[in-house]
Amino acid sequence: MLHDSGSWHWEFNEKVAAIRDRILGIAGLRRTDGWEAIPLQGSGTFGVEAVFQTILPPQGKVAVMSNGAYGERIVLMLQHAKIDHVVLRTLEDTPNDPDALEVLLAKDPMITHVAAIHCETTTGILNPIAALGAMSRRFGKTYIVDAMSSFAAYPIDFEACAIDYLISSANKCIEGVPGFSFVICRRANLLATEGWARSLSLDLLGQLKEFEKNGQFRYTPPTHSVLAFEQALHELDMEGGVLGRAARYKRNHEVLLDGMKALGFRSYLPEAVQSYIITSFIFPADPKFTFQEFYRQVSEKGYLLYPGKISQADTFRIGNIGRLFESDMRSVVSAIGEAIGEMGVRI
Ligand SMILES: *Cc1c(COP(=O)(O)O)cnc(C)c1O
């Protein structure tokens, strides 16, 4: 990351071209089959918003499948962009409902696009993106999947899931540093959205055209993040690609869950719908427990917990992704055990 890249220099442009192809490789796709991976400056949210700002026709309408904060964030984006939409909500511990989508699509022909979150990181729940995609395809709708926290750690079959647009970012399961998101889509589909972009800097088609014209990001690229990403891709390869990474995260999740259960904690989600990306735990009922104090104690032992993002239950979250191994998960469990002991909390 300390190399000072010239952002228009061929040396840097070659790296950008290479990472774009390697992102497609993770997805099992190829440019020669018409697919593109388009990196975009900014965090993951910028990539998701760029899709809606770019590909929705003036009269477009989106059906949003929501069971957490990231589904609701898409709703906010659509409100800001004044794009017509309808939201199909399920409870935060309940996966999206493909049958409800079928009923909706059958009765509302104005809907042009369907949007879903693969792993809703709010809770760690896994949504049925293949069943939702099959439904979208049956009704001829464009299907958008936010796979921010799952891409590269869950195998995703674009054909089977009928995905038209998928969004992820540099710093989740690919383990790069923050700085950019990327969108995977078919070149022909994106070209067909010409003239619809509602935003200048979030115009995904504009970004693709710039890559095709001179190999560069439009506007200043996150040079250091791109260099780190190249290394992160190398480490992903060394680990055995998506399946290798999946195995480590799965193990992290199991070790964490077993350890936390042994301390008396209960996880929020039923195991059948729980991903191995992030795990939510329910607050102990003992009134001596406050999250603030618990967080402080555990952070002093070297571990930062995630507060819950859930509105329907008091929970905190522990991530299983990133440069973490079984030994880290054992250590965080023992730090939590000590903190609970020092606070005098009984579970
Ligand atoms: C992290 C995340 C986002 C947002 O990404 P930022 O990089 O925080 O902007 C969107 N969707 C999902 C599912 C996420 O996990």
Side-chain angles (χ1 to χ4, degrees), residues 12-22 31 215:
F12 182 72
N13 295 347
E14 278 178 2
K15 289 183 190 298
V16 171
I19 65 162
R20 290 179 58 213
D21 282 342
R22 288 173 75 181
R31 196 127 58 82

Side-chain angles (χ1 to χ4, degrees), residues 157-294:
D157 183 335
F158 274 62
E159 188 47 45
C161 297
I163 296 171
D164 295 302
Y165 291 85
L166 178 141
I167 309 106
S168 190
S169 69
N171 55 286
K172 283 191 172 161
C173 297
I174 299 182
E175 301 185 358
V177 304
F180 65 95
S181 59
F182 52 84
V183 178
I184 300 175
C185 64
R186 280 199 184 80
R187 181 171 183 274
N189 287 358
L190 187 57
L191 291 182
T193 67
E194 178 75 50
W196 293 344
R198 291 161 160 87
S199 162
L200 173 67
S201 57
L202 296 180
D203 178 355
L204 204 60
L205 177 55
Q207 184 86 330
L208 176 66
K209 285 180 177 171
E210 193 76 10
F211 283 130
E212 295 191 342
K213 193 170 86 191
N214 56 23
Q216 295 174 17
F217 278 67
R218 236 177 13 148
Y219 319 135
T220 305
T223 47
H224 299 77
S225 304
V226 168
L227 298 185
F229 193 73
E230 202 183 31
Q231 175 63 22
L233 290 173
H234 174 64
E235 291 175 16
L236 177 63
D237 279 349
M238 297 292 286
E239 193 168 15
V242 175
L243 294 180
R245 187 138 300 178
R248 174 162 59 88
Y249 290 172
K250 234 183 256 177
R251 185 72 190 132
N252 285 350
H253 170 68
E254 284 165 9
V255 168
L256 176 72
L257 198 61
D258 289 352
M260 291 294 281
K261 278 187 178 158
L263 290 177
F265 282 93
R266 282 188 304 132
S267 59
Y268 172 70
L269 290 175
E271 200 53 26
V273 299
Q274 165 80 62
S275 68
Y276 46 79
I277 300 296
I278 191 167
T279 318
S280 301
F281 294 96
I282 298 171
F283 283 2
D286 187 336
K288 280 209 196 114
F289 180 89
T290 63
F291 182 73
Q292 221 180 356
E293 179 58 15
F294 179 57

Side-chain angles (χ1 to χ4, degrees), residues 291-319:
F291 182 73
Q292 221 180 356
E293 179 58 15
F294 179 57
Y295 178 90
R296 199 184 61 76
Q297 294 254 2
V298 178
S299 72
E300 276 174 5
K301 299 178 199 309
Y303 297 93
L304 302 186
L305 301 174
Y306 268 112
K309 231 186 209 287
I310 311 186
S311 50
Q312 292 158 5
D314 283 331
T315 60
F316 63 91
R317 297 176 293 165
I318 301 182

Side-chain angles (χ1 to χ4, degrees), residues 74-103:
I74 289 180
V75 176
L76 284 176
M77 287 172 191
L78 297 171
Q79 285 170 356
H80 277 76
K82 302 187 170 52
I83 293 170
D84 200 7
H85 58 279
V86 50
V87 191
L88 280 182
R89 291 190 175 86
T90 45
L91 296 175
E92 285 166 336
D93 62 358
T94 310
N96 303 151
D97 180 357
D99 295 336
L101 179 63
E102 179 177 23
V103 171

Side-chain angles (χ1 to χ4, degrees), residues 43-46 48 70 73 117 119-121 146-149 169 171-172:
S43 80
T45 304
F46 292 64
V48 178
Y70 293 108
R73 189 172 295 177
I117 315 287
C119 170
E120 181 45 270
T121 325
D146 170 349
M148 206 69 66
S149 62
S169 69
N171 55 286
K172 283 191 172 161

